[in-house]
């Protein structure tokens, strides 16, 4: 079978080069062509020997997901819809802010975890993305955005907060993360690459060992009874164990805190009493909070918390000494906000919410 070179991080690419009888250091040159310069045609790789280019053409390919559509929002947010075959598509979003540019990347086609307030969760699960399809999103965005005139990178941060649960696609995630961090590829710092998880505890421990990047944990509720409903995975990995896992992660993390994400659902998890309970829950964990006003989608059954409720909730946390930011909703006019990334998912699980 033809190898897709985008599936290989530095270690694997060096291994492939030895297999085909080439010096492993040449792999670095190839990585720079593919990832720095966004090149996917061997014939343009001028400083690679012709014989090597021939060999690569025979045995390998650089296959990126194909671009279906590119959308620009009025606030500068950009979204790419990328086809990953068989009618499935995933979305990648770029969010420019002063001093940084963040790319939000998907890890799966759909998601099996069925969080009740998430549009991806409602669509069901089709399959994991390959490492090439994960890094291919950064490849596209990087190529489309280019660099600042001074050579500064436009994409300074990556968050694994698109469609899917990254920690349930562990090996491909780690390969893609390795490429994000590699100086011959995208050269991002560990602190600027964030994996967001709904709390897959064993995989959090493995990530700490294999590739400790910044970690965001989707909390959304201060007690097990409510979290069982909002994030069904909680029935398997309840809060007490999750808090302990967060503490273990912080020992390895490039930042000395966990970011807790908390979606603000009107009348569901946004009262003062919830905020007080939350303060108690996280008191042993070094953390910061990111409150995400709920982004509605058709038939979600939830509403966005009122601004006053968000402010009052935030005040309780801040008064307890916690650092809290409220996420500004971006890219509203192109449905690019959290939880709105729909892509196209053909649910292979044949799950039907209506029947449930
Ligand atoms: N599966 C991972 C990462 C993808 S979701 C996770 O759950 O953490 C990224 C973030 O968007 C999560 O915190 C998720 O809970 C949140 N989110 C999902 N649907 C949302 C919605 N409709 N409005 C606001 N945030 C949402
Ligand atoms: Fe999956 Fe995250 Fe959506 Fe939950 S919030 S269904 S884990 S993508």
């Amino acid at each position: 079978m033809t190898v897709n070179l985008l599936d290989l991080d530095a270690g694997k690419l060096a291994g492939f080069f030895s297999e085909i009888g080439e010096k492993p250091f040449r792999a670095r040159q190839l990585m720079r062509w593919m990832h720095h310069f966004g090149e996917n045609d061997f014939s343009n790789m001028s400083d690679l020997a012709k014989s090597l280019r021939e060999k690569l053409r025979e045995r390998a390919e650089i296959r990126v997901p194909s671009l279906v559509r590119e959308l620009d929002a009025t606030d500068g947010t950009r979204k790419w819809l990328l086809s990953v075959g068989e009618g499935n598509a995933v979305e990648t979003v770029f969010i420019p802010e002063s001093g940084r540019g963040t790319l939000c990347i998907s890890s799966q086609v759909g998601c099996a975890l069925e969080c009740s307030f998430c549009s991806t969760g409602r669509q069901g699960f089709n399959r994991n993305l390959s490492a090439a399809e994960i890094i291919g999103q950064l490849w596209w965005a990087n190529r489309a955005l280019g660099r600042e005139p001074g050579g500064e990178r436009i994409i300074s941060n990556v968050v694994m907060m698109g469609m899917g649960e990254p920690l349930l696609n562990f090996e491909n995630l780690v390969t893609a993360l390795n490429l994000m961090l590699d100086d011959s590829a995208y050269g991002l710092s560990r602190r600027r690459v964030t994996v967001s998880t709904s709390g897959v505890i064993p995989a959090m421990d493995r990530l700490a060992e294999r590739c400790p990047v910044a970690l965001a944990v989707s909390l959304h509720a201060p007690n097990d009874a409510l979290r069982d409903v909002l994030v069904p995975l909680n029935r398997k990995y309840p809060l007490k164990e999750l808090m302990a896992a967060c503490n273990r992660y912080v020992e390895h993390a490039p930042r000395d805190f966990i970011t807790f994400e908390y979606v603000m659902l009107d009348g569901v998890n946004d009262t003062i009493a919830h905020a007080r309970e939350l303060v108690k829950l996280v008191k042993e964990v070094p953390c910061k909070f990111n409150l995400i006003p709920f982004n509605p989608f058709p038939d979600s059954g939830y509403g966005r918390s009122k601004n006053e409720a968000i402010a009052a909730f935030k005040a309780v946390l801040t008064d307890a000494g916690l650092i809290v930011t409220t996420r500004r909703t971006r890219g509203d006019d192109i449905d690019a906000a959290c939880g709105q990334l729909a892509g196209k998912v053909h649910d292979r699980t044949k799950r039907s919410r209506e029947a449930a």
Side-chain angles (χ1 to χ4, degrees):
M1 218 175 69
T2 315
V3 180
N4 185 0
L5 297 172
L6 286 185
D7 268 319
L8 311 181
D9 57 17
K12 291 178 182 151
L13 195 63
F16 173 74
F17 267 54
S18 340
E19 261 171 46
I20 62 170
E22 292 285 339
K23 298 262 185 313
F25 77 87
R26 296 244 174 258
R28 289 264 157 211
Q29 269 171 294
L30 178 66
M31 275 179 80
R32 276 193 289 275
W33 276 113
M34 291 191 293
H35 299 290
H36 272 190
F37 305 118
E39 187 55 70
N40 57 345
D41 182 348
F42 296 124
S43 13
N44 293 334
M45 301 182 178
S46 46
D47 62 355
L48 295 189
K50 236 182 164 170
S51 55
L52 169 58
R53 281 186 268 162
E54 274 308 312
K55 235 188 240 178
L56 289 173
R57 215 173 283 125
E58 278 164 25
R59 308 185 194 202
E61 60 181 346
I62 302 171
R63 192 173 65 249
V64 291
S66 56
L67 183 65
V68 179
R69 210 167 348 123
E70 195 176 332
L71 292 161
D72 292 342
T74 47
D75 65 4
T77 302
R78 293 175 77 173
K79 180 165 99 168
W80 293 269
L81 184 66
L82 300 171
S83 161
V84 290
E86 294 177 351
N88 289 307
V90 291
E91 292 182 323
T92 306
V93 179
F94 176 70
I95 307 143
E97 288 168 298
S98 60
R100 67 175 173 194
T102 303
L103 192 70
C104 179
I105 291 185
S106 299
S107 56
Q108 299 180 314
V109 184
C111 182
L113 294 182
E114 303 193 88
C115 297
S116 58
F117 54 86
C118 173
S119 145
T120 307
R122 287 282 176 96
Q123 294 175 75
F125 175 71
N126 185 289
R127 67 170 173 86
N128 281 330
L129 292 180
S130 65
E133 289 163 341
I134 298 174
I135 207 67
Q137 298 169 61
L138 180 52
W139 187 92
W140 265 112
N142 200 45
R143 213 166 81 139
L145 295 165
R147 284 177 179 252
E148 305 261 19
E152 280 289 295
R153 237 180 262 282
I154 306 264
I155 300 170
S156 59
N157 295 57
V158 167
V159 294
M160 298 297 308
M161 292 186 187
M163 299 169 73
E165 168 51 53
L167 293 187
L168 290 182
N169 185 10
F170 192 80
E171 289 303 324
N172 295 342
L173 172 75
V174 168
T175 302
L177 291 176
N178 286 340
L179 284 168
M180 290 175 201
L181 303 178
D182 199 306
D183 281 336
S184 302
Y186 299 93
L188 296 170
S189 99
R190 280 179 195 281
R191 303 163 57 89
R192 289 171 172 268
V193 174
T194 301
V195 167
S196 175
T197 180
S198 52
V200 188
I201 292 178
M204 286 165 62
D205 289 325
R206 274 192 286 152
L207 188 68
E209 292 294 329
R210 293 276 302 279
C211 192
V213 293
L215 189 69
V217 173
S218 295
L219 208 48
H220 309 319
N223 58 59
D224 284 321
L226 182 55
R227 196 165 189 268
D228 282 351
V229 176
L230 300 177
V231 184
L233 184 70
N234 193 68
R235 294 175 209 151
K236 193 162 178 192
Y237 302 121
L239 283 169
K240 191 160 179 277
E241 290 167 32
L242 183 58
M243 294 303 111
C246 288
N247 274 331
R248 289 196 296 278
Y249 195 87
V250 171
E251 287 169 21
H252 298 259
R255 290 178 148 169
D256 48 9
F257 60 88
I258 298 284
T259 302
F260 284 128
E261 296 164 278
Y262 196 98
V263 63
M264 298 297 293
L265 302 164
D266 186 24
V268 174
N269 64 354
D270 66 346
T271 67
I272 298 289
H274 289 125
R276 292 201 178 117
E277 205 180 355
L278 198 54
V279 169
K280 285 202 192 108
L281 174 73
V282 305
K283 67 176 188 302
E284 308 288 339
V285 186
C287 63
K288 290 186 182 175
F289 267 85
N290 196 344
L291 304 181
I292 316 172
F294 172 66
N295 293 307
F297 54 91
D299 302 321
S300 74
Y302 291 105
R304 179 183 293 181
S305 300
K306 312 263 181 307
N307 287 341
E308 307 81 74
I310 298 178
F313 192 94
K314 182 175 177 179
V316 173
L317 302 188
T318 322
D319 288 349
L322 292 162
I323 294 173
V324 187
T325 51
T326 307
R327 195 174 295 170
R328 215 154 42 98
T329 294
R330 303 288 304 263
D332 247 353
D333 53 338
I334 54 169
D335 283 346
C338 304
Q340 285 183 326
L341 299 186
K344 264 196 282 171
V345 179
H346 295 288
D347 185 359
R348 279 210 307 229
T349 63
K350 303 274 183 280
R351 204 159 33 69
S352 159
R353 282 233 145 220
E354 291 71 39

